[in-house]
Amino acid sequence: MKAAAFDYLRPADLGEALALLATHKDDCKILAGGQSLVPAMNFRLARPAILVDINDLNELDYLRADADHLKIGALTRHAAFHRPVVEGPLGTLLAKVVRYIAHYPIRQRGTFAGSLSHADPASEWCLVAATLRAEMLAKSVRGERVIAAGDFFHGTFTTALEPDEVLAEIRLPAMAPDWRVGFYEFSRRAGDFALGMAVAAARVEEGTIREARLGVGGVADRAIRLGTLEDQLVGKPASSALIDGIAREARGMIEPNGDIHASPEYRRDLIATSVKRALTEALA
Amino acid sequence: MPDKRDVTLAVNGKTYAVSVEPRRSLADVLRDDCGLTGTHLGCEHGVCGACTVLVNEKPVRACLMFGVQAEGKTVRTVEGLADGDTLHPLQQAFWENHGLQCGFCTPGFLMLAAGALQENPDMTDDDIKDVLSSNLCRCTGYQNIVKAVRLAAREMRARARI
Ligand SMILES: Cc1cc2nc3c(=O)[nH]c(=O)nc-3n(C[C@H](O)[C@H](O)[C@H](O)COP(=O)(O)OP(=O)(O)OC[C@H]3O[C@@H](n4cnc5c(N)ncnc54)[C@H](O)[C@@H]3O)c2cc1C
Ligand code: FES
Ligand code: FES
């Protein structure tokens, strides 16, 4: 199992990388952590003629927090999140979620932006981005644009990115200290892709939910933000009856896919369980 | 035949000047072009961990990096663990605790543990198990690998205190 021949280009900065992408477009692929692309190349499922290796673009290796956002540069590796990168609930959530992504050595190379660009339906970062309403900053020689998470994911392995664009930065909305977060994932072995998972976050004031975020992943062609259920949570007192009701509704709302790993029926049950456990953690 | 590239690799403190196709994995370059066959290949798609080496002191899958990408980085393989005839504490502990049977997975486990202990010398048992879940072993049942890493970590901490 060896990759087919390709030409290897290693730009030194973003400008050079964008120029290469503009020239070669569909003939080339960006090589970031390589933890999804290289297995696909070894299987010969992917045979790009040219690889544009962005690993020397140090200008994209950053994490910046301001009042509104956590800004994640494209070369930020999964492992950067092993310890909370910001104080408060967002850093806690990311540090919890990252442990479910593949394994320790894979997390040393794989990147946050690579996960989003690859858009595996069972990607934890895609679920986080969709649920927390991330914004993606795409750059090309034509300029730059900001894409909302809701418009970014088009389905399994497909996104709004054009072949000449680099996903340069992901912006996660900042979370005030009074948010509470929860995450639950089920997979058969440590490090395996999720068969079902959920992210929940809530801001509770004197027992009443003021704001809520809820999403599920690994069950359809992309992560699903459950906006109508978020609305149903708001204004209600947090209780186990409320959580049970929301979990039941989530189970009925989604038409999960089936594959050799899990049937649709099994995944439907996982949706209910994941939502219940993630919400219970967030509202505890 | 596509063009070969001249690549200079720094492996275990030595410099290797090789000429390789870009498509060759770092693992293949180490084995075939540098003659360092201690790095093993099992699955070649990132699942088994037999190919784990340290790149800039971090454990990575050498089947998921291309050799050309290692230019300008330092690489450490299992051949670089021992100090002459003196085994590394991890190697010694694997030997003493029956942490290997056929030995195919062993170089990967050693480099994985070496890299993880460099980042955190005080790993708890849960940390150790979490890290070791990265790699596959078909023989040992893992218990003796966990034990070996736990004891090696203790030995390495003791030596660091002296
Ligand atoms: C054994 C194994 C288990 C895994 N388990 C999980 C898991 O449980 N959960 C999970 O989420 N992932 C898992 N992964 C995948 C891993 O998280 C990858 O790191 C991630 O999916 C892709 O990131 P990368 O940086 O490695 O991207 P690459 O593999 O380099 O690229 C992936 C794709 O994205 C494109 N791309 C990369 N960066 C950019 C960018 N900045 N702009 C535009 N396009 C870009 C590439 O051209 C390519 O098409 C696993 C991988 C392995 C090998
Ligand atoms: S050979 Fe690299 S992980 Fe299996
Ligand atoms: S000792 Fe045989 S595979 Fe691990």
Side-chain angles (χ1 to χ4, degrees):
Chain A
M1 271 193 11
K2 315 282 180 191
F6 58 85
D7 199 11
Y8 175 74
L9 304 175
R10 188 164 163 173
D13 57 46
L14 182 60
E16 196 186 325
L18 296 181
L20 290 171
L21 294 177
T23 308
H24 300 293
K25 294 205 176 68
D26 280 325
D27 290 334
C28 72
K29 276 222 165 273
I30 293 172
L31 175 63
Q35 305 300 292
S36 293
L37 180 57
V38 180
M41 289 173 69
N42 288 355
F43 278 120
R44 307 247 171 147
L45 294 170
R47 301 178 75 132
I50 301 166
L51 283 190
V52 176
D53 184 348
I54 61 168
N55 283 280
D56 282 350
L57 274 48
N58 293 330
E59 65 208 278
L60 295 182
D61 187 2
Y62 61 84
L63 282 158
R64 291 184 196 127
D66 61 28
D68 299 323
H69 292 104
L70 171 64
K71 295 178 174 170
I72 302 167
L75 266 191
T76 308
R77 316 275 170 186
H78 303 323
F81 298 90
H82 281 164
R83 290 189 190 82
V85 295
V86 278
E87 267 183 52
L90 183 58
T92 308
L93 178 68
L94 298 175
K96 172 158 192 187
V97 171
V98 72
R99 303 270 161 187
Y100 292 83
I101 302 173
H103 304 285
Y104 181 82
I106 291 163
R107 296 196 293 264
Q108 305 295 332
R109 299 246 358 124
T111 63
F112 196 106
S115 283
L116 264 50
S117 310
H118 186 59
D120 191 297
S123 151
E124 286 82 0
W125 289 147
C126 292
L127 171 62
V128 166
T131 307
L132 301 187
R133 300 154 171 62
E135 291 175 344
M136 320 313 164
L137 175 67
K139 290 193 178 178
S140 69
V141 291
R142 295 174 288 120
E144 58 177 64
R145 61 183 177 130
V146 175
I147 310 166
D151 303 320
F152 184 81
F153 300 107
H154 287 185
T156 307
F157 306 144
T158 44
T159 67
L161 291 171
E162 299 290 340
D164 67 341
E165 283 181 316
V166 169
L167 173 54
E169 179 180 285
I170 295 97
R171 297 172 183 166
L172 292 177
M175 274 185 164
D178 56 349
W179 280 85
R180 298 282 174 271
V181 292
F183 175 73
Y184 179 78
E185 164 169 337
F186 182 77
S187 62
R188 293 209 196 280
R189 294 169 304 190
D192 277 8
F193 276 98
L195 296 180
M197 59 181 162
V199 163
R203 206 167 57 73
V204 183
E205 268 170 19
E206 290 161 12
T208 302
I209 301 168
R210 294 296 174 202
E211 283 184 87
R213 302 280 183 269
L214 186 62
V216 294
V219 295
D221 73 340
R222 72 196 81 171
I224 303 169
R225 199 190 112 201
L226 297 165
T228 54
L229 299 185
E230 292 174 353
D231 294 343
Q232 287 185 34
L233 284 161
V234 172
K236 306 235 169 65
S239 72
S240 58
L242 177 69
I243 293 171
D244 286 344
I246 295 286
R248 242 191 333 271
E249 286 223 31
R251 186 185 190 284
M253 272 170 74
I254 299 162
E255 208 44 65
N257 52 15
D259 52 36
I260 53 163
H261 306 293
S263 66
E265 190 54 24
Y266 182 77
R267 278 211 166 85
R268 214 167 273 133
D269 287 344
L270 266 183
I271 292 169
T273 305
S274 305
V275 165
K276 181 174 170 165
R277 293 190 183 173
L279 262 182
T280 304
E281 186 187 347
L283 295 175
Chain B
M1 187 84 172
D3 288 350
K4 290 192 172 182
R5 299 288 185 90
D6 292 329
V7 183
T8 309
L9 298 182
V11 190
N12 304 328
K14 274 198 221 140
T15 305
Y16 293 80
V18 296
S19 183
V20 297
E21 283 180 77
R23 72 188 191 97
R24 282 174 79 72
S25 70
L26 174 59
D28 279 341
V29 171
L30 290 169
R31 290 176 55 82
D32 300 341
D33 299 281
C34 303
L36 297 167
T37 53
T39 299
H40 291 172
L41 280 161
C43 67
E44 298 190 305
H45 67 281
V47 171
C48 73
C51 65
T52 308
V53 300
L54 303 188
V55 172
N56 285 356
E57 297 303 308
K58 299 284 184 198
V60 301
R61 307 296 210 214
C63 69
L64 298 187
M65 256 185 93
F66 296 108
V68 287
Q69 291 188 274
E71 170 101 54
K73 307 204 157 49
T74 61
V75 180
R76 262 216 300 157
T77 67
V78 71
E79 287 91 342
L81 269 189
D83 179 10
D85 286 338
T86 312
L87 292 180
H88 185 279
L90 276 164
Q91 292 171 306
Q92 189 70 34
F94 268 62
W95 181 357
E96 286 170 4
N97 296 284
H98 210 65
L100 63 149
Q101 289 179 32
C102 79
F104 191 83
C105 68
T106 313
F109 270 104
L110 288 169
M111 299 320 288
L112 172 68
L117 284 171
Q118 260 172 198
E119 185 185 334
N120 179 9
D122 298 311
M123 281 197 287
T124 63
D125 253 31
D126 281 348
D127 293 336
I128 290 175
K129 283 182 190 160
D130 185 51
V131 165
L132 294 180
S133 77
S134 307
N135 286 16
L136 296 178
C137 171
R138 303 281 75 181
C139 303
T140 61
Y142 300 100
Q143 299 307 318
N144 287 344
I145 298 179
V146 175
K147 191 170 153 197
V149 172
R150 185 193 299 134
L151 293 173
R154 194 177 295 165
E155 171 68 20
M156 288 161 74
R157 282 196 299 269
R159 286 191 198 180
R161 270 198 297 275
I162 303 169

